[in-house]
Amino acid sequence: MDHPEPSDGVLRALGSTEPSAEGTALVCGVRRARRLRLLRELAELPGARTGEAAERWALLEEAGRRDPPAVADVVHYPATGVWAEETLRRLRTRHGPPADLGHLGALAAAAALRAGIGFKITLRPAHGRLALPTLGLLRPDRPGPLALTEGSWDPGNPEALVLHALPDGRTALDDLDPYRASVTVPAARRLTPKGHKRWDTQWSGALTLLRRYDTARAEEAARLLRCLVPLSGSSRSYGGTLPAAAGSVLARAQPPPALAATLVFEVQHGKLAALAQALPLHTADRTARYWAPWRTDPRPLEGLLRGAYAHLGLAGYWQRAALYGARGAWAQHARVRAQVAAVLPVLDGCPELTAGGRVFVGAMAAAERDMDGVSAPGARYAVARGVVERDRVAWCAAHPNLAPYAAG
């Protein structure tokens, strides 16, 4: 385990989905510890401290001594985690493509450039491009090895493509890093300047709505998100997260109200992924057997818990938005809350929950009950519960052998 076991108080704070200093500290701490462990495992592999590799590790460490915050940003950048996990997996597997050990040099060069130290390193661009995490891409005008020094990165140079910064100044729009997504996620290709402007507008609009309706969640997103990765237009999903890319949200281009909801939803996924690394919440296997109102296919317990947690956070956001008069927010709140309320008894009755898992699910249930304090007007919530119940009956009819897993 990469982090001290969280207390019941922290579990309850996280289980409520509401932002808290303790919850944020745990999430950030788990992410840092996991990334450092991955890099330590890479550094301890046979041959990692000899020859060219040794020089690159030494440069990374020297840069870290000069400017720890800047180098930490490179080391903990979401795409660095994807590279580290994929590299370890490939090194431990005899079959498949070789590990991209050359990317370590790009990490070291980016760290040295960010730290402002003197250095010289020779790297080999892939397909005419050299990715420098947190900075962007270099596109040399001739093939072959490329010698980099402290003066090699000039954002005004035509050979440089600079990582796009979204209007808040803290979050990057990453359409450049080759490890910004995985092979199974259809990330968008490099955007045009017009595409960047469109995302600037959508992002600014989404943040404005978040800050207006739910200031605490807006601040939480700012602390936990380092970059946003545009999804391909062919993606069926509005958003997603990758456990290896902690601090990143993948999102499809969408209007600001939808993007704000996507950010709330995916931040919850990221929080739960970090908590699960600090403390097992259940002992269930990956067998898909549970009904989830937001899906048509059976889900494993892990998937049901992740979905319920993210939807609970979304229900809270829509409730606050509704209180500010956001159009359609009460209907959204009633729909999502009804879905969560239908599966919380199922989760609570799971014998595979650990002691910590029971505290966590109990906090989720308490947060859902607290929403009664400001009920949706009219019969919206009752109608939504009726729709969910009809969906449950239909699902049980389609999966009769799994019906016991649809009732708490």
Side-chain angles (χ1 to χ4, degrees):
M1 194 176 296
D2 293 326
H3 195 276
E5 187 171 303
S7 67
D8 285 359
V10 173
L11 284 174
R12 281 190 285 268
L14 281 168
S16 74
T17 79
E18 294 297 323
S20 68
E22 301 86 353
T24 298
L26 180 132
V27 170
C28 291
V30 169
R31 289 175 174 180
R32 285 193 297 268
R34 179 175 175 82
R35 184 64 50 81
L36 293 175
R37 178 180 61 78
L38 283 171
L39 293 176
R40 186 167 60 248
E41 288 182 23
L42 280 171
E44 292 172 353
L45 288 172
R49 293 289 186 174
T50 59
E52 189 177 75
E55 295 175 1
R56 294 173 179 181
W57 283 113
L59 178 58
L60 184 62
E61 291 164 354
E62 181 186 354
R65 289 189 291 271
R66 174 66 67 87
D67 192 339
V71 176
D73 190 37
V74 176
V75 168
H76 295 288
Y77 190 66
T80 301
V82 178
W83 167 76
E85 291 205 6
E86 188 170 312
T87 299
L88 277 172
R89 179 179 57 80
R90 290 182 177 184
L91 289 172
R92 291 166 175 167
T93 305
R94 294 184 178 182
H95 307 289
D100 181 13
L101 293 173
H103 193 65
L104 173 61
L107 287 174
L113 288 164
R114 293 281 305 272
I117 63 175
F119 73 98
K120 184 174 182 180
I121 188 172
T122 299
L123 303 175
R124 296 165 184 80
H127 310 293
R129 295 181 175 189
L130 179 66
L132 296 170
T134 74
L135 293 175
L137 285 177
L138 280 177
R139 299 176 297 175
D141 58 5
R142 57 181 182 274
L146 180 65
L148 295 182
T149 68
E150 61 273 17
S152 295
W153 180 253
D154 178 5
N157 189 323
E159 293 184 359
L161 283 177
V162 181
L163 187 67
H164 184 73
L166 288 164
D168 70 342
R170 292 184 287 187
T171 309
L173 181 74
D174 196 339
D175 58 341
L176 297 177
D177 198 296
Y179 290 99
R180 64 189 183 276
S182 69
V183 293
T184 60
V185 178
R189 295 184 178 182
R190 182 167 64 90
L191 303 178
T192 63
K194 184 177 180 180
H196 285 155
K197 288 182 180 178
R198 183 168 60 248
W199 268 106
D200 285 349
T201 300
Q202 293 170 344
W203 177 261
S204 295
L207 285 191
T208 296
L209 293 175
L210 270 177
R211 289 166 179 158
R212 179 186 305 161
Y213 301 149
D214 200 333
T215 304
R217 290 196 193 279
E219 292 175 352
E220 179 182 60
R223 291 191 185 98
L224 296 181
L225 293 184
R226 177 61 178 87
C227 74
L228 185 146
V229 175
L231 283 171
S232 166
S234 64
S235 172
R236 296 181 179 181
S237 175
Y238 284 97
T241 54
L242 295 173
S248 172
V249 162
L250 299 100
R252 206 170 76 185
Q254 53 199 288
L259 181 58
T262 295
L263 293 176
V264 169
F265 191 84
E266 297 303 339
V267 164
Q268 306 311 311
H269 276 161
K271 288 160 61 178
L272 184 54
L275 175 59
Q277 291 166 15
L279 178 74
L281 298 176
H282 63 83
T283 58
D285 59 23
R286 300 293 300 175
T287 303
R289 54 169 67 98
Y290 290 93
W291 168 65
W294 45 86
R295 302 273 297 239
T296 57
D297 55 327
R299 302 292 290 152
L301 180 59
E302 176 66 23
L304 182 66
L305 181 59
R306 289 181 73 248
Y309 185 66
H311 280 86
L312 178 62
L314 193 57
Y317 168 71
W318 281 126
Q319 186 179 49
R320 289 185 173 92
L323 293 172
Y324 275 87
R327 181 179 299 178
W330 276 124
Q332 294 276 25
H333 163 72
R335 175 183 61 84
V336 178
R337 184 190 173 188
Q339 292 175 333
V340 175
V343 300
L344 280 172
V346 178
L347 286 170
D348 188 57
C350 285
E352 296 95 343
L353 288 180
T354 62
R358 295 204 173 281
V359 173
F360 184 77
V361 171
M364 290 174 61
E368 188 274 327
R369 290 192 300 271
D370 286 346
M371 292 178 186
D372 284 334
V374 185
S375 300
R380 288 182 184 274
Y381 184 52
V383 170
R385 288 294 298 262
V387 170
V388 171
E389 185 57 32
R390 288 195 294 273
D391 289 344
R392 186 207 304 263
V393 171
W395 190 89
C396 290
H399 305 85
N401 58 318
L402 298 178
Y405 298 98

